């Protein structure tokens, strides 16, 4: 008796079926909301019985005139400009340090990584204690040295730098792990070849180590930059955007507009701008920097 | 004139002795091969000369200068690494001139020397390529170029050809040797491949367990191996080693009753014979070992015929076309002076002239008698 062939599903249909769960999740929680946000930004916020009406670019015109938005954007750019390079530099320095065969290497690695394990809000609470006026750790040290107490989170000049310090402290340990992995990928014989030429430590770093960890640096930089524009936890936990909006960052402002002022359409417009900023950042890094980087 | 002088150098890794009181001298313009099985200390010896490791005891002089505490270019040595150690992010030109740029050589001078080296190694068309875009042989040339451009008096090579296929290896072997002779540089070359050592070297230093087993010309090592180890290690087809025993009229091959090979005791001694010294004789004449052929390895122009004498295999080399069939009974004969006798326990060569005894003359074939010193 001839074997009956089971009906075969088209191979493409099969493939799509396999990908379906992931596609549904990704679409439902990422792509659809993103597109909906962009669409919402062209409408007014619905209130009670008044439905949303198409207002074109009105929300964006409001934004251009909004001093708090401009301040949040400026704060955020400054925040990214300082935390990204500093945390990368620190991460690389720590990685270079713990790569060598020093005593207590494992303990050092663990110590550097600990901040990463802490939830951001917990870390924020610890730092809140450091920054507390009068009896906070930093102020106790300052007073012991004969300086007057500083209200770190309370004065506009120091609030944003105080938040940056926390971010750098928390991110550097995480990025160090990536650099450590990258450094261990570099063949030790390359360093021996450099040693044969009596190249100095700085020259070896500049001409061998740095170019060879460049792919990792790019990866870490993109992540750090995206993180810099996604900061919200420590702002909520430590300053609430104050004093006088000195620590208001873009995402925190979006959060405020959407859930404190309930102006969802304006929040949608702000989110669209945020998305655009991130898209431009990613585009610049991938397409302009990429050509100068050596991948193995 | 001596270019590299190694004096009683010792290097330990924790408890183990990697290099154990080694001394040798390399003449200027010579190519010396450090040969030995893996783990014999030859690579460590090379790294000691390069200055990548410092000896625990002893001293190294290069061009008449004690080089303790100096590394690489400061000692006047350049090195080619086994894995080439090319910088993957730099192109060929930058790889070759890396050392010059470290030393701050002016750009013009660098370009002039790069042109010269590129022409010498046939790399002109590849200068702007990255190492990943090169074949293994080309990468090898770049590594060689990087070592040669410094014009250091001594060039060290650590198994430079081991990652290449057999044909390319042979080609580069000739090329490196020709280059070395043309430029008149001193080369110290590490390999575990005895063919490489024999075909390239002015002198071969055979190492074993951190010590020098024998230091001599390739012909010395091949024709007068000082120990059993050398006898086994050197030669494309291994030397056949036959345990000897006491016979009624002299030493005999263990497990046989004769014929006697030389006067005196055979117990505790080993007879070594190169396959090319053993002749296979089809005719059934007396005074020969009559044995059965157990294996034939056909190599084209020649064939290696393996037979068993007692419990030991013996190899004979014949013309490829005239090798006997497996299972055939043949007579084996050799010129008595071709034998090497070693002490089985110490492995040392014994000064026993296998061709001198009155009995041994009986063993000679008529064909071989011309060369016998009877």
């Amino acid at each position: 008796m001839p074997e009956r062939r089971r009906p075969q599903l088209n191979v493409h249909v099969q493939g799509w079926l396999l990908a379906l769960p992931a596609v549904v999740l990704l679409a439902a929680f990422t792509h659809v909301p993103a597109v909906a946000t962009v669409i919402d930004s062209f409408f007014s916020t619905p209130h009670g019985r008044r439905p949303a009406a198409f207002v074109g670019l009105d929300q964006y015109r409001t934004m251009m005139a909004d001093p708090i938005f401009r301040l949040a954007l400026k704060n955020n750019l400054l925040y990214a400009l300082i935390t990204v390079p500093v945390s990368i530099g620190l991460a690389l320095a720590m990685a270079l340090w713990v790569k060598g065969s020093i005593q207590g290497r494992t303990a050092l690695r663990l110590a550097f990584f600990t901040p990463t394990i802490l939830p951001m809000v917990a870390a924020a609470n610890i730092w809140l204690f450091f920054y507390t006026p009068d009896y906070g750790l930093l102020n106790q040290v300052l007073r012991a040295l004969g300086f007057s107490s500083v209200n770190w989170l309370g004065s506009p000049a120091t609030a944003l730098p105080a938040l940056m310090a926390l971010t750098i402290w928390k991110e550097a340990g995480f990025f160090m792990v990536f650099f450590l992995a990258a450094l261990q990928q570099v063949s030790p014989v390359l360093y021996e070849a450099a040693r044969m030429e009596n190249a100095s430590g700085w020259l070896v770093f500049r001409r061998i180590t740095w170019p060879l960890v460049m792919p990792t640096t790019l990866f870490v930089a993109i992540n750090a930059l995206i993180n810099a524009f996604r900061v919200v936890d420590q702002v909520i936990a430590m300053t609430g955007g104050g004093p006088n909006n000195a620590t208001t960052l873009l995402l925190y402002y979006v959060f405020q507009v959407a859930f404190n002022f309930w102006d969802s359409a304006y929040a949608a417009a702000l989110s669209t701008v945020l998305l655009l900023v991130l898209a431009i950042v990613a585009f610049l890094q991938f397409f302009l920097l990429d050509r100068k980087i050596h991948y193995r | 004139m001596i270019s590299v002088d190694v004096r009683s150098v010792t290097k330990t890794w924790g408890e183990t002795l990697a290099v154990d009181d080694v001394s040798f001298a390399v003449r200027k313009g010579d190519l010396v091969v450090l040969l030995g099985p893996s783990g014999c200390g030859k690579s460590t010896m090379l790294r000691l000369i390069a200055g990548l490791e410092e000896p625990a005891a002893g001293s190294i002089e290069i061009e008449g200068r004690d080089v303790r505490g100096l590394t690489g270019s400061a000692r006047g040595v350049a090195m080619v690494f086994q894995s080439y150690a090319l910088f993957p992010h730099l192109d060929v030109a930058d790889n070759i001139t890396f050392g010059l740029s470290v030393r701050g050589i002016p750009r013009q001078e660098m370009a002039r020397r790069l042109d010269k080296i590129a022409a010498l190694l046939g790399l002109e068309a590849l200068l702007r390529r990255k190492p990943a875009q090169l074949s293994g042989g080309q990468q090898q040339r770049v590594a060689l170029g990087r070592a040669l451009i410094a014009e250091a008096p001594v060039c060290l090579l650590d198994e430079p050809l081991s990652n290449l296929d057999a044909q390319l290896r042979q080609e580069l072997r000739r090329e490196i040797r020709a280059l070395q002779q043309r430029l008149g540089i001193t080369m110290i070359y590490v390999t575990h491949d005895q063919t490489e050592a024999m075909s390239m070297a002015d002198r071969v230093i055979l190492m074993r367990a951190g010590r020098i087993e024998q230091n001599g010309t390739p012909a010395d090592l091949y024709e007068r191996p000082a120990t059993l180890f050398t006898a086994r290690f050197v030669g494309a087809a291994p030397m056949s080693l036959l345990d000897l025993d006491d016979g009624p009229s002299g030493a005999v091959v263990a497990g046989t009753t004769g014929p006697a090979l030389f006067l005196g005791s055979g117990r505790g001694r080993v007879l070594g014979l190169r396959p090319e010294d053993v002749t296979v004789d089809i005719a059934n004449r007396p005074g020969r070992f009559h044995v059965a052929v157990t294996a034939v390895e056909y190599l084209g122009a020649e064939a290696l015929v393996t037979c068993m004498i007692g419990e030991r295999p013996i190899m004979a080399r014949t013309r490829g076309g005239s090798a006997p069939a497996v299972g055939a009974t043949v007579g084996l004969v050799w010129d008595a002076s071709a034998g090497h006798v070693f002490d089985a326990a110490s492995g040392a060569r014994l000064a026993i002239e296998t061709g001198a005894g009155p009995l041994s003359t009986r063993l000679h074939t008529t064909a071989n008698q011309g060369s016998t010193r009877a």
Side-chain angles (χ1 to χ4, degrees):
Chain A
M1 188 179 146
E3 198 182 318
R4 212 171 74 98
R5 279 191 66 187
R6 276 192 293 160
Q8 285 274 318
L9 266 176
N10 181 313
V11 68
H12 295 289
V13 176
Q14 260 187 32
W16 278 106
L17 280 175
L18 287 171
L20 191 65
V23 168
V24 166
L25 282 176
L26 209 60
F29 293 104
T30 307
H31 298 139
V32 172
V35 173
T37 301
V38 174
I39 294 169
D40 283 351
S41 73
F42 297 111
F43 289 83
S44 66
T45 305
H47 284 293
R49 260 173 250 157
R50 187 153 47 89
F54 183 77
V55 293
L57 292 174
D58 268 6
Q59 301 285 11
Y60 293 92
R61 280 187 207 107
T62 317
M63 202 188 297
M64 288 299 115
D66 182 354
I68 300 178
F69 165 72
R70 300 242 286 267
L71 185 62
L73 189 63
K74 199 195 88 188
N75 283 344
N76 221 149
L77 287 176
L78 199 66
Y79 185 88
L81 220 62
I82 291 179
T83 59
V84 174
V86 173
S87 58
I88 286 178
L90 211 58
L92 187 54
M94 292 193 299
L96 285 168
W97 190 28
V98 298
K99 186 184 77 124
S101 48
I102 48 167
Q103 286 270 313
R105 184 171 61 165
T106 315
L108 256 181
R109 287 183 184 180
L110 188 68
F112 286 160
F113 193 66
T114 315
T116 309
I117 307 168
L118 284 177
M120 187 47 109
V121 175
N125 272 312
I126 296 171
W127 281 69
L128 216 46
F129 168 68
F130 293 168
Y131 290 141
T132 308
D134 298 327
Y135 57 87
L137 189 68
L138 269 176
N139 280 319
Q140 283 187 25
V141 171
L142 275 184
R143 276 198 303 196
L145 295 171
F147 294 95
S148 57
S149 176
V150 177
N151 187 357
W152 295 102
L153 293 172
S155 63
T158 54
L160 192 61
L163 281 190
M164 289 177 187
L166 163 62
T167 308
I168 291 164
W169 173 80
K170 190 148 168 39
E171 297 218 302
F174 184 51
F175 296 152
M176 177 202 72
V177 177
F178 292 97
F179 279 117
L180 205 52
L183 288 175
Q184 281 166 348
Q185 288 289 306
V186 179
S187 164
V189 79
L190 293 184
Y191 292 118
E192 284 191 340
R195 254 182 83 200
M196 286 298 292
E197 308 295 350
N198 291 290
S200 67
W202 167 243
L203 198 131
V204 169
F205 174 78
R206 191 168 57 84
R207 297 216 34 201
I208 301 170
T209 309
W210 179 244
L212 287 177
V213 299
M214 207 56 188
T216 305
T217 311
L218 175 73
F219 170 78
V220 166
I222 290 174
N223 273 283
L225 213 53
I226 290 170
N227 281 347
F229 283 98
R230 290 198 322 194
V231 168
V232 73
D233 329 26
Q234 60 263 56
V235 180
I236 293 174
M238 292 174 87
T239 63
N244 194 18
N245 287 319
T247 57
T248 298
L249 303 179
L250 276 181
L251 193 60
Y252 181 72
Y253 189 46
V254 172
F255 166 79
Q256 258 191 328
V257 169
F259 300 108
N260 291 349
F261 311 152
W262 297 105
D263 190 351
S264 59
Y266 187 42
L270 288 170
S271 301
T272 306
V273 170
L274 189 56
L275 267 177
L276 216 65
V277 169
L278 292 179
I280 291 169
V281 164
F283 178 84
L284 284 180
Q285 286 190 317
F286 272 118
F287 293 93
L288 295 183
L289 272 178
D290 214 25
R291 283 180 219 157
K292 291 190 179 167
I293 291 178
H294 165 80
Y295 288 100
R296 260 162 297 182
Chain B
M1 184 189 159
I2 301 300
S3 180
V4 177
D5 196 2
V6 175
R7 291 183 192 152
S8 314
V9 163
T10 296
K11 175 75 189 172
T12 49
W13 300 115
E15 295 289 292
T16 50
L17 264 172
V19 173
D20 184 7
D21 192 23
V22 165
S23 302
F24 62 88
V26 178
R27 275 197 323 225
K28 203 168 175 56
D30 266 6
L31 194 157
V32 169
V33 169
L34 294 175
L35 176 69
S38 57
C40 71
K42 58 192 190 300
S43 281
T44 306
M45 192 60 242
L46 199 73
R47 293 171 61 84
L48 286 164
I49 296 171
L52 291 171
E53 313 286 350
E54 281 292 328
S59 68
I60 297 171
E61 274 189 17
I62 292 172
E63 304 282 305
R65 190 163 58 108
D66 190 326
V67 290
R68 190 185 310 265
L70 302 174
T71 307
S73 58
R75 292 185 162 198
V77 302
M79 184 154 169
V80 176
F81 291 87
Q82 182 174 5
S83 56
Y84 315 139
L86 299 179
F87 303 117
H89 57 293
L90 298 181
D91 63 20
V92 169
D94 287 344
N95 258 295
I96 293 177
T97 56
F98 182 83
L100 300 185
S101 72
V102 167
R103 284 189 285 283
I105 304 279
R107 209 163 269 280
Q108 269 187 327
E109 167 74 3
M110 225 151 72
R112 188 186 64 74
R113 277 159 80 169
L114 175 65
D115 285 348
K116 203 174 106 190
I117 288 290
L120 196 66
L121 294 165
L123 290 169
E124 295 101 326
L126 307 173
L127 288 177
R128 294 266 76 93
R129 291 220 201 146
K130 294 277 172 69
Q133 297 166 307
L134 302 176
S135 69
Q138 289 166 336
Q139 289 185 17
Q140 172 61 60
R141 264 177 243 259
V142 176
L144 203 58
R146 192 172 62 182
L148 292 178
I149 198 163
E151 292 170 9
V154 179
C155 184
L156 311 174
L157 298 95
D158 188 4
E159 309 219 11
L161 306 181
S162 59
N163 295 343
L164 304 174
D165 61 68
Q167 201 176 351
L168 200 57
R169 207 179 306 176
Q170 203 167 23
E171 210 177 291
L172 275 164
R173 211 154 70 195
R174 290 201 195 102
E175 209 171 300
I176 291 175
R177 175 61 162 158
L179 215 57
Q180 180 262 336
Q181 285 176 324
R182 206 165 106 203
L183 301 173
I185 45 178
T186 310
M187 261 191 192
I188 302 179
Y189 187 111
V190 162
T191 183
H192 62 263
D193 180 350
Q194 64 86 29
T195 320
E196 231 166 88
M198 301 301 269
S199 59
M200 293 175 79
D202 291 306
R203 288 189 81 81
V204 176
I205 297 174
L206 180 64
M207 290 186 70
R208 175 198 187 189
R211 289 177 160 275
I212 292 181
E213 191 77 7
Q214 190 169 355
N215 175 354
T217 64
D220 284 343
L221 267 73
Y222 191 78
E223 286 160 17
R224 289 189 60 79
T227 63
L228 264 176
F229 180 80
T230 309
R232 277 200 204 99
F233 202 85
V234 172
M239 185 184 273
S240 308
L241 298 167
L242 303 169
D243 293 328
L244 299 181
D245 209 343
D246 293 339
S249 52
V252 296
V253 174
T256 68
T257 52
L261 299 163
F262 54 86
L263 281 173
S265 172
R267 183 158 292 171
R269 289 169 173 175
V270 176
L271 175 72
L273 287 165
R274 295 269 178 214
E276 65 269 27
D277 292 329
V278 180
T279 310
V280 173
D281 197 347
I282 311 291
N284 230 351
R285 276 177 281 183
R288 287 159 170 74
F289 287 96
H290 297 287
V291 289
V293 175
T294 55
V296 175
E297 199 179 334
Y298 178 72
L299 300 170
E302 58 191 35
L304 287 171
V305 178
T306 308
C307 310
M308 298 297 280
I309 293 185
E311 282 162 6
R312 290 290 182 170
I314 179 168
M315 277 181 152
R317 183 168 286 180
T318 68
R319 287 176 54 87
S322 59
V326 174
T329 301
V330 294
L332 291 182
V333 71
W334 56 84
D335 180 346
S337 66
H340 309 263
V341 182
F342 301 96
D343 183 74
S346 70
R349 182 186 189 87
L350 298 174
I352 291 174
E353 196 52 78
T354 52
L359 291 161
S360 57
T361 44
R362 282 214 315 253
L363 300 174
H364 299 164
T365 62
T366 43
N368 279 342
Q369 236 153 22
S371 61
T372 322
R373 287 178 289 153

